[in-house]
Amino acid sequence: MGPFGAGKVNFFSWLGMRQATILTLVWILCLPPAPLAANNRKGDKLWNEARVEEGKGNLDHALQLAEQAFEQDPTDVGYQLEVRRVRFEAGAMHVKNGQKLRNAGKLSEALAEFEKAYGIDPASDIAVEEIRRTRAMIQRNSALPAGPGAAAAQAAGKELAEKEKEEEKSLTPSELARRQQQERTDLLQAVPVLRPLNSDLIDLKMNNQRPRIMFETVAKLAGISVVFDPEYDTAQTIRAQSIDLSRTTLEEALDQVSLVTKSFWKPLSSNTIFVTVENPTKRREYAEQVVKVFYLSNVTAPQEMQEMLTVLRTVVDVQKVFSFASQNALVVRAESDTMALVEKLIADLDKPRSEVIIDVMVMEVNSTHMRNITAAFASTGFQTSAIFAPRPGITTPGLQSASTTGSTTTTTGTTATTTTPTTTTGTTSTTGTPTTTDIPLNALSHISSADFSITSLPGAALEAVLNDSFTKVLQAPQIRAVDNIKASLKIGEKVPTASGSFQPGVAGVGVSPLVNTQFTYLDVGVNMEVLPKVHDNNEVSLHIDLDISQVDSYQNLGGISEPEIGQNKETADIRLREGEVNLIGGIIQRTDTKSKTGIPGLANIPLLGRFFSGEQIENDKNELVIALIPHIVRGPDITASNLRGVMAGNAQQIKVSYASQNPAAAPAPSPSPVAAVQPALPARVVTTPAPAIAAPPATAPPVTAPLVTAPAAGAARISFQPGTLETQLSSAVTVTLYAENITNLNSAAAQLRYDSRILRINNIVAGDLPQRGLADASRTEPSKNILNDTGQADVSVDRGPGAGISGAGGLFTVTFQAVGRGNTNVSLSSATLKTPAGQPIPVTVPPPLVVNVK
């Protein structure tokens, strides 16, 4: 084919290729967009929105947006970090909200916040800890007695118990075993605390009684039981003693009886005590041992832990104590009284250290005053030279000489010098071989002033300059220090200085002196070390090492530029009140310089000398003032309890005592009785109960005297007077136990039962029958044990040895208070009457007293 044909084929081939390319591009453009790129754009939008919500504090919404962004591209590291960071912040926010609600007493709402925090961030240990703590508080409140909010607390406790049962289903075997172990640990009992049924103060007098009777009597009055060591009676060396207990608590009464009888008692439960003989063997056998872990929250150094151990081993003689450093804990095993003393010591010593902030104000003032006054002719003196320059008509040209032109130089001013030539006079050649023009001798007479010249003449000057500069440098750093621990503050820079050198192994020309020189870096600036001691009267003692330095200049020593450091240093021990300013001044450097120049002689002429002299005065003053101001941010937390001493037993045995938390109130005065009875005597309880009438503990069933169902004529009997009562709510009524046909009565005891929901006993006093025929009626004041909580009262009276009485009269007068409406009965469950010989007097027990409270 020809050329045309070939070109035609190539053209169409090119056209086909172009069409194919266009179709390929169109197909690519028609494809759907890449999902990853689109998702990245959407994820970035969600990520930005999450950052905005986070800045607003909406952390929950920010977390939701961040998680949505993460779902768009799980491989994006930025999205992953944002989710994890916001998750942590949101969990911490809910923990903080829960703590606020718990402090306000809203335990259920607080628990919901903590659980929400755990749901957001399961890795939050503090959320798990707060959930556990709040659940324990809810369970504790649900077990409290009825009161305001008790129903809500119990409902929350039930809900919590059901939730814990559901959680047990998801526990692994090991987790379930640990939970069961923790539950068994929580059931371990602490040292029992006595909780007597009768918390009234004890007034009791016992004469010539055996130790067992003394303990049983005190226990009966308080409503508790006594368990004795089987060997108590045989090991007890003290057979009978007397004691007078006046207005004492139960623990105080037991301690006094133990002291008198050489006995040792300990609580077995809240209403039972154990009594044995006091000796080292019995102590080791029966004394209760307590194990406790003390977590010290303010110990920061091993030395402090060791000091705590030393205190416990030295003061309270605790031998079984071990320190656990990783938890800042002490594990102690000791007797209960010793443990109580250990608790007080640790509470007194484990306190946060005091802290103080010290303001350090460093003010450096530099002032320069310079004055320069010159109004004179040649104020600085003048210096000139006279040069011989002969005229051409005097000299003989063309002659060469090796000598130089000689001249005489005269300096007039403050300093005058003369230079004498050593060669003949001539001229000086400026170029080539030095040549001179000789002066013929016949021309000497023609030399005149025209052949001489001077270099310059002084001029007049007028100068008055005043330069006054003032520089102030102020530094105000703060340093916070803990009591009795040194703190350091360094503000400035480190400056190198040569401190030594060594001989290089190979010496040579050109070796730098830096090769064999050792350098030390000095701290230049404000360097302060302070050791504070905070006192309890808002005063602070400070040991201060203060060093303020700066580089003044540099000196070249042996080829090394060494700094010259100006230093102001002070070491002091001072004591300041909080906020008091201590000024460290007096570091003042003053330089006065005065210089005077002029023409000698003329400069010293009074007044006129000012025109021939100049004067310059310069005053430099540097002053450094340092102010120290302490501020107490945490003072010594010493309370009255820390300062109070406590009884700790004797040298052989540690023994602590507790004061009554609910001291009994004085009995209210009895109102006017409804029925006509004899006036009540003052209720002062002093008695000597005989061993034969010792009643059983209040926890035991009451002992009922034998009832005489068909009394013979003239038999002794007891009755209530009046037999029925009708009163109003909150009113007081008085009832008398009346005895008839009594023969040779010496002592009497009775036990009353009543409904505590309707009635309570305010007071019981002796009637007229036990007091009849006695010179001192106060001997018959009864011993009583009133238990209004259980509706029981025990009372007894004794006339003394050999004093029997016969006849009829009141045995006891009882004052009731109506506390509830309804019908009730007051019954005499037991009555015991005895003769001076201790023989019982048969007596009938009356029918119950009927009381109607409207």
Side-chain angles (χ1 to χ4, degrees):
M1 296 181 62
F4 177 79
K8 184 177 181 181
V9 172
N10 293 335
F11 171 77
F12 283 108
S13 299
W14 173 83
L15 182 61
M17 293 177 61
R18 182 177 181 184
Q19 290 176 351
T21 303
I22 293 174
L23 290 175
T24 302
L25 293 176
V26 171
W27 178 76
I28 292 174
L29 293 175
C30 292
L31 290 176
L36 184 59
N39 284 342
N40 281 338
R41 290 194 295 271
K42 186 176 181 180
D44 290 343
K45 180 181 178 182
L46 293 171
W47 185 83
N48 291 330
E49 292 177 355
R51 298 296 298 269
V52 172
E53 292 298 322
E54 181 186 358
K56 294 179 180 179
N58 303 327
L59 296 178
D60 290 339
H61 191 202
L63 178 60
Q64 182 181 2
L65 294 173
E67 289 176 344
Q68 292 177 4
F70 178 69
E71 291 175 358
Q72 298 297 322
D73 185 7
T75 62
D76 193 310
V77 179
Y79 298 164
Q80 295 178 13
L81 294 177
E82 181 69 12
V83 169
R84 293 178 181 178
R85 187 173 57 81
V86 177
R87 178 178 290 130
F88 172 79
E89 293 180 358
M93 178 194 68
H94 285 289
V95 169
K96 186 176 181 180
N97 293 339
Q99 291 172 344
K100 290 181 179 179
L101 290 171
R102 188 177 61 193
N103 294 336
K106 301 177 181 179
L107 299 182
S108 299
E109 294 87 341
L111 180 60
E113 285 290 329
F114 294 140
E115 291 176 344
K116 187 179 296 185
Y118 178 73
I120 292 174
D121 187 8
S124 176
D125 291 336
I126 189 172
V128 176
E129 181 181 350
E130 295 293 353
I131 289 174
R132 186 185 304 112
R133 183 181 293 118
T134 308
R135 285 181 176 178
M137 295 174 66
I138 292 175
Q139 290 177 349
R140 181 190 64 194
N141 292 343
S142 63
L144 293 178
Q154 292 176 358
K158 287 183 178 180
E159 181 181 356
L160 182 59
E162 295 175 357
K163 185 179 296 186
E164 289 181 350
K165 289 182 179 179
E166 290 295 329
E167 290 179 355
E168 286 185 359
K169 298 178 181 179
S170 61
L171 295 178
T172 64
S174 60
E175 291 175 343
L176 182 60
R178 282 194 294 269
R179 171 174 287 191
Q180 293 173 352
Q181 179 183 357
Q182 183 62 41
E183 291 175 353
R184 289 193 301 270
T185 303
D186 294 338
L187 292 177
L188 292 175
Q189 294 292 325
V191 176
V193 178
L194 281 180
R195 302 185 185 279
L197 297 178
N198 182 16
S199 59
D200 295 340
L201 298 179
I202 296 176
D203 284 334
L204 181 64
K205 182 177 181 180
M206 291 179 284
N207 294 325
N208 197 27
Q209 299 296 329
R210 292 186 294 114
R212 176 184 286 269
I213 300 302
M214 289 184 176
F215 278 106
E216 289 177 342
T217 304
V218 172
K220 177 179 179 296
L221 290 177
I224 62 174
S225 301
V226 185
V227 177
F228 289 94
D229 182 7
E231 302 176 357
Y232 182 71
D233 292 331
T234 58
Q236 181 59 260
T237 58
I238 298 177
R239 297 304 175 187
Q241 284 291 333
S242 300
I243 192 170
D244 188 356
L245 305 174
S246 178
R247 308 296 292 172
T248 60
T249 63
L250 173 60
E251 288 80 4
E252 292 172 347
L254 293 174
D255 289 341
Q256 293 182 29
V257 174
S258 298
L259 182 64
V260 171
T261 61
K262 301 295 183 181
S263 301
F264 161 65
W265 72 273
K266 72 171 185 177
L268 292 179
S269 65
S270 60
N271 61 351
T272 305
I273 64 172
F274 173 80
V275 178
T276 186
V277 179
E278 175 65 87
N279 59 53
T281 303
K282 293 296 183 181
R283 274 276 181 181
R284 287 192 298 269
E285 185 176 354
Y286 291 108
E288 203 70 45
Q289 293 282 322
V290 182
V291 176
K292 188 172 182 179
V293 179
F294 295 92
Y295 294 95
L296 308 179
S297 57
N298 299 293
V299 171
T300 58
Q303 178 186 356
E304 298 175 7
M305 181 76 74
Q306 188 62 39
E307 290 175 353
M308 189 75 73
L309 288 174
T310 303
V311 169
L312 297 182
R313 289 170 177 164
T314 305
V315 177
V316 293
D317 196 23
V318 177
Q319 301 301 323
K320 297 179 180 180
V321 55
F322 181 78
S323 61
F324 194 72
S326 64
Q327 295 292 331
N328 275 350
L330 293 177
V331 184
V332 183
R333 181 184 178 189
E335 293 185 10
S336 56
D337 288 341
T338 304
M339 187 64 71
L341 200 57
V342 169
E343 291 175 354
K344 173 174 171 52
L345 291 177
I346 291 180
D348 292 345
L349 297 177
D350 185 27
K351 290 180 176 291
R353 287 194 174 192
S354 303
E355 291 187 63
V356 61
I357 289 180
I358 304 172
D359 291 331
V360 183
M361 303 179 67
V362 181
M363 185 172 62
E364 185 177 0
V365 179
N366 299 326
S367 63
T368 301
H369 181 84
M370 184 174 61
R371 189 189 66 182
N372 188 4
I373 298 178
T374 302
F377 173 79
S379 59
T380 61
F382 64 90
Q383 179 178 358
T384 184
S385 298
I387 301 174
F388 179 65
R391 290 167 292 172
I394 297 177
T395 61
T396 302
L399 296 178
Q400 296 182 352
S401 175
S403 62
T404 58
T405 303
S407 63
T408 300
T409 303
T410 303
T411 302
T412 305
T414 58
T415 304
T417 60
T418 302
T419 302
T420 305
T422 57
T423 58
T424 59
T425 304
T427 60
T428 303
S429 174
T430 57
T431 58
T433 304
T435 59
T436 61
T437 302
D438 295 336
I439 301 175
L441 292 178
N442 58 2
L444 291 177
S445 60
H446 300 285
I447 296 175
S448 66
S449 60
D451 297 319
F452 293 90
S453 63
I454 61 176
T455 56
S456 63
L457 290 176
L462 176 61
E463 181 181 8
V465 178
L466 179 64
N467 187 1
D468 195 350
S469 62
F470 181 82
T471 304
K472 180 172 68 174
V473 179
L474 178 64
Q475 292 179 331
Q478 280 187 337
I479 182 171
R480 180 164 180 164
V482 180
D483 181 72
N484 211 27
I485 294 181
K486 183 181 292 186
S488 300
L489 175 68
K490 295 182 179 181
I491 301 176
E493 58 186 3
K494 286 182 175 292
V495 177
T497 180
S499 59
S501 62
F502 64 92
Q503 184 67 30
V506 179
V509 180
V511 177
S512 173
L514 299 178
V515 175
N516 58 354
T517 304
Q518 299 174 348
F519 289 89
T520 300
Y521 284 85
L522 303 178
D523 293 315
V524 176
V526 178
N527 302 313
M528 179 180 179
E529 289 186 353
V530 57
L531 180 67
K533 177 62 180 176
V534 181
H535 305 282
D536 59 353
N537 56 352
N538 288 337
E539 292 188 356
V540 182
S541 295
L542 301 175
H543 175 79
I544 298 174
D545 289 323
L546 184 61
D547 183 0
I548 300 176
S549 56
Q550 69 281 339
V551 177
D552 290 340
S553 62
Y554 287 89
Q555 293 288 338
N556 193 325
L557 301 177
I560 301 176
S561 180
E562 294 285 344
E564 287 187 355
I565 298 177
Q567 189 178 53
N568 297 295
K569 188 173 183 179
E570 179 175 358
T571 299
D573 289 283
I574 56 177
R575 180 163 178 165
L576 304 172
R577 294 191 62 84
E578 182 187 13
E580 183 179 355
V581 180
N582 179 72
L583 292 178
I584 303 176
I587 307 177
I588 300 175
Q589 180 180 3
R590 181 165 182 169
T591 304
D592 296 334
T593 304
K594 182 178 180 181
S595 60
K596 184 177 183 181
T597 59
I599 300 175
L602 298 179
N604 298 326
I605 300 175
L607 296 180
L608 294 178
R610 286 286 185 180
F611 296 98
F612 301 98
S613 65
E615 183 181 73
Q616 183 177 0
I617 298 176
E618 182 176 354
N619 299 324
D620 294 330
K621 181 179 180 182
N622 295 334
E623 182 175 1
L624 181 64
V625 178
I626 305 168
L628 301 177
I629 309 173
H631 302 282
I632 299 175
V633 294
R634 180 186 290 117
D637 185 17
I638 301 176
T639 64
S641 176
N642 304 140
L643 299 174
R644 184 173 59 90
V646 296
M647 294 188 298
N650 52 43
Q652 286 75 29
Q653 185 62 43
I654 292 179
K655 174 65 178 176
V656 297
S657 302
Y658 295 92
S660 176
Q661 296 182 355
N662 298 311
S670 302
S672 300
V674 175
V677 295
Q678 296 186 8
L681 296 176
R684 191 167 67 88
V685 183
V686 179
T687 186
T688 307
I693 66 170
T699 55
V703 179
T704 305
L707 299 181
V708 180
T709 56
R717 61 180 179 270
I718 298 176
S719 62
F720 287 105
Q721 289 187 359
T724 60
L725 279 176
E726 189 172 292
T727 184
Q728 301 292 329
L729 182 65
S730 301
S731 298
V733 293
T734 304
V735 178
T736 301
L737 279 177
Y738 193 78
E740 299 176 278
N741 298 330
I742 302 300
T743 302
N744 200 19
L745 174 67
N746 178 258
S747 63
Q751 186 178 76
L752 297 175
R753 293 296 183 97
Y754 53 95
D755 190 350
S756 60
R757 296 172 298 179
I758 299 178
L759 296 175
R760 64 177 290 119
I761 295 179
N762 288 339
N763 198 9
I764 302 178
V765 297
D768 65 314
L769 182 61
Q771 305 178 46
R772 194 177 301 165
L774 295 178
D776 186 6
S778 63
R779 294 173 50 191
T780 59
E781 293 181 359
S783 172
K784 56 193 175 183
N785 182 23
I786 302 173
L787 305 176
N788 283 318
D789 293 337
T790 59
Q792 176 180 319
D794 297 315
V795 60
S796 63
V797 66
D798 194 342
R799 288 173 51 85
I805 187 65
S806 301
L811 284 178
F812 304 103
T813 300
V814 185
T815 302
F816 289 96
Q817 182 82 23
V819 295
R821 291 186 174 90
N823 295 322
T824 185
N825 295 330
V826 178
S827 62
L828 183 65
S829 58
S830 66
T832 304
L833 305 181
K834 292 188 178 182
T835 65
Q839 298 180 355
I841 301 175
V843 63
T844 59
V845 177
L849 168 67
V850 179
V851 181
N852 181 22
V853 180
K854 297 182 179 180

